[in-house]
Amino acid sequence: MNKYIRFDWAMKRLLRNKANFSVLEGLLTTLLNERIVIQKLLESESNQEDEFDKYNRVDLLAENSKGDLVLIEVQNNNEYAYFQRMLFGTSKLVTEYINRGEGYEKVRKVYSINIVYFSLGSGKDTVYHGKTEFRGLHENDILELSPFQRQTFQVDTVSQLYPEYYILKVNDFNKVAKTPLEEWIYYLNTGDIPQDAKAPGLDVVRERLKLDRMSKDELSAYYRHLDNIVILRNNIYTEREEGRAEGREEGRAEGKAEERFKIASSLLAQGIDISSIAIATGLTEEQIIQLK
């Protein structure tokens, strides 16, 4: 069986080469359901120097042939405020890539593609799409562009002017890949490619992202990267299990405390003196007095 390089490592080390743009183009074409051609890569927060970020996350910013901005981010570590981070990332791009004094018609379209290897939010699907629409509160209709705006901006809907978000929860994919998008998610999840996969870009992955194409030094660095990811995920799992255990222990403690107060109330009703109740229940006399 052929072994292929993980997508996040490829993004950081290989896919920035123009000769390999077809891999990214294949993923974006499959996900956005339109032919995407990458013109160039732009400056972003990629190539983190911090050791944690080297394996925790990687991002890449591209410009397509229509001038749209496409931010692709891979996140390995659990981040509870990730939704807000997505918003911050797109907002920053909107403001950074317009020159001072230019009209609002120059605001760039932004696609935010998020490949997450942790449980983000609560949902049953593996791929989510978010966009902005304006819906009438009384008529429940969608606010549309005027014919002049459609012709001027070369789009059909208001939502096409706003940032769009895609979230791929690849760890949750556990079925046979039947569509091109599922073939891509299978590769993102497992690092392998279904034998009969025909999704755009995966043919290039087969050709250029094989492990046996890497040098000895590259392979050593790559395996260190995989080891770090395993450690990271084990830490996430351990934290989650410890949190559940603490929650169960706190629940038991709260239950015991509630039972002591019930006993104290019952003894008070029977006329037992406060000091005796304190000895019997372990509560302070002040706590017992408040029960009267």
Side-chain angles (χ1 to χ4, degrees), residues 119 236-252:
S119 296
I236 293 171
Y237 177 80
T238 301
E239 289 172 5
R240 186 182 299 128
E241 290 305 307
E242 287 177 350
R244 289 173 180 168
E246 288 175 4
R248 289 192 294 268
E249 187 62 33
E250 288 175 3
R252 284 193 289 268

Side-chain angles (χ1 to χ4, degrees), residues 98-114:
I98 184 171
N99 295 321
R100 181 173 295 181
E102 286 186 322
Y104 294 128
E105 70 276 6
K106 299 295 185 181
V107 169
R108 307 276 286 273
K109 170 75 176 187
V110 178
Y111 291 97
S112 174
I113 315 297
N114 300 272

Side-chain angles (χ1 to χ4, degrees), residues 100-262:
R100 181 173 295 181
E102 286 186 322
Y104 294 128
E105 70 276 6
K106 299 295 185 181
V107 169
R108 307 276 286 273
K109 170 75 176 187
V110 178
Y111 291 97
S112 174
I113 315 297
N114 300 272
I115 302 168
V116 299
Y117 287 88
F118 64 95
S119 296
L120 176 61
S122 176
K124 297 179 181 179
D125 211 323
T126 53
V127 181
Y128 289 88
H129 176 213
K131 62 182 181 179
T132 301
E133 290 182 334
F134 296 92
R135 185 176 294 274
L137 295 181
H138 300 96
E139 302 295 333
N140 200 39
D141 63 323
I142 300 295
L143 183 62
E144 303 287 358
L145 295 171
S146 68
F148 173 76
Q149 288 171 320
R150 287 196 188 97
Q151 182 178 4
T152 301
F153 302 129
Q154 296 295 300
V155 295
D156 296 320
T157 64
V158 174
S159 63
Q160 290 175 276
L161 298 174
Y162 282 78
E164 294 186 42
Y165 300 88
Y166 289 84
I167 299 173
L168 283 64
K169 299 174 63 175
V170 295
N171 273 2
D172 294 342
F173 185 78
N174 58 3
K175 56 185 179 180
V176 176
K178 296 181 179 179
T179 67
L181 183 53
E182 288 178 344
E183 292 170 356
W184 259 104
I185 295 174
Y186 183 87
Y187 162 61
L188 295 172
N189 182 6
T190 66
D192 194 13
I193 301 174
Q195 188 172 1
D196 56 350
K198 296 181 173 59
L202 289 182
D203 55 335
V204 187
V205 174
R206 284 194 182 102
E207 178 188 349
R208 301 183 186 177
L209 299 189
K210 289 182 180 179
L211 285 179
D212 58 16
R213 291 173 60 99
M214 301 175 77
S215 69
K216 185 177 179 180
D217 289 342
E218 290 171 335
L219 203 56
S220 296
Y222 177 67
Y223 284 135
R224 284 198 302 273
H225 172 76
L226 295 185
D227 290 341
N228 284 332
I229 288 176
V230 170
I231 294 170
L232 174 65
R233 292 184 182 173
N234 284 341
N235 288 342
I236 293 171
Y237 177 80
T238 301
E239 289 172 5
R240 186 182 299 128
E241 290 305 307
E242 287 177 350
R244 289 173 180 168
E246 288 175 4
R248 289 192 294 268
E249 187 62 33
E250 288 175 3
R252 284 193 289 268
E254 288 175 2
K256 290 178 180 177
E258 185 177 347
E259 184 65 23
R260 287 200 300 270
F261 280 108
K262 285 182 180 179

Side-chain angles (χ1 to χ4, degrees), residues 37-92:
V37 177
I38 295 176
Q39 289 294 109
K40 58 183 176 180
L41 299 184
L42 303 172
E43 290 297 324
S44 71
E45 297 177 0
S46 304
N47 294 321
Q48 301 289 334
E49 292 302 324
D50 183 84
E51 184 62 29
F52 177 76
D53 278 333
K54 283 182 180 179
Y55 61 87
N56 172 46
R57 60 177 287 258
V58 58
D59 64 2
L60 182 150
L61 180 61
E63 180 183 74
N64 69 14
S65 57
K66 297 190 296 185
D68 301 331
L69 302 175
V70 182
L71 177 62
I72 305 172
E73 182 156 356
V74 178
Q75 175 81 8
N76 284 300
N77 188 34
N78 187 19
E79 187 169 335
Y80 78 98
Y82 192 83
F83 289 113
Q84 294 94 320
R85 175 169 157 179
M86 289 163 47
L87 173 62
F88 177 80
T90 56
S91 301
K92 194 173 180 212

